[in-house]
Amino acid sequence: MTSTNKRFSAGALSLAGMGAGVLILGMGSIDLWQSIRCKDWPHTEGVIITAKVESGSRNRYHAAISYEYQVGRIPFFGTRIAIGGPYGSSKEDAGGVVGRYRRGERVPVFYSPRHPEYALLEPGIFGGTWEALCVGAVFVAGCGGLLIASRKTK
């Protein structure tokens, strides 16, 4: 491969990595914005329907919580615990989240005043939001540095 082809390949990979980083940063920014806003959402009483640990791929586990709630006289069903976590990845972490909720238990459910079907149990900013922002920033900075380095190479 010629040096021009190598620079083009490195540049294309760097741009693709930067694009992925910008996408991850954007998703993390949206989560951060929603996490901040949900702290001011109204809440209503809900009832836990299910609370269990479910396994995913590669020995990863997550808390699966479902609940019912009403806004006005309209019933809703929800499964979101929080924005950006705390879902758990190990069986113990997921079990810790599930342990906070018991079937039939009455809990506060926070809901979007504009879209009451969008609800959660734990408002606030959690680790997953910061992780997305950090990973996105590392991708953008690292791939940007590679792009600059590939342009300087002769």
Side-chain angles (χ1 to χ4, degrees), residues 47-90:
V47 178
I48 299 296
I49 304 302
T50 61
K52 59 187 176 182
V53 173
E54 290 185 347
S55 62
S57 62
R58 293 188 249 157
N59 294 328
R60 295 180 61 87
Y61 296 85
H62 67 276
I65 312 288
S66 65
Y67 48 91
E68 293 177 337
Y69 63 101
Q70 272 187 250
V71 177
R73 293 182 182 206
I74 303 171
F76 293 96
F77 177 83
T79 58
R80 180 169 278 225
I81 301 167
I83 297 168
Y87 305 112
S89 59
S90 71

Side-chain angles (χ1 to χ4, degrees), residues 8-76:
F8 176 76
S9 295
L13 284 173
S14 297
L15 285 173
M18 285 179 67
V22 167
L23 182 65
I24 294 168
L25 262 175
M27 290 168 36
S29 297
I30 290 169
D31 279 357
L32 179 61
W33 177 71
Q34 289 178 334
S35 297
I36 292 168
R37 288 184 51 147
C38 76
K39 288 178 155 185
D40 295 326
W41 284 357
H43 64 279
T44 188
E45 186 176 85
V47 178
I48 299 296
I49 304 302
T50 61
K52 59 187 176 182
V53 173
E54 290 185 347
S55 62
S57 62
R58 293 188 249 157
N59 294 328
R60 295 180 61 87
Y61 296 85
H62 67 276
I65 312 288
S66 65
Y67 48 91
E68 293 177 337
Y69 63 101
Q70 272 187 250
V71 177
R73 293 182 182 206
I74 303 171
F76 293 96

Side-chain angles (χ1 to χ4, degrees), residues 65-145:
I65 312 288
S66 65
Y67 48 91
E68 293 177 337
Y69 63 101
Q70 272 187 250
V71 177
R73 293 182 182 206
I74 303 171
F76 293 96
F77 177 83
T79 58
R80 180 169 278 225
I81 301 167
I83 297 168
Y87 305 112
S89 59
S90 71
K91 196 170 190 173
E92 294 78 25
D93 289 343
V97 174
V98 168
R100 296 197 294 265
Y101 301 99
R102 300 278 180 247
R103 189 170 187 261
E105 178 183 11
R106 297 192 179 285
V107 294
V109 176
F110 298 83
Y111 62 91
S112 167
R114 287 186 164 179
H115 302 282
E117 69 278 4
Y118 189 78
L120 48 83
L121 298 175
E122 300 180 17
I125 303 170
F126 292 92
T129 300
W130 297 118
E131 289 171 8
L133 290 169
C134 290
V135 168
V138 166
F139 262 78
V140 170
C143 293

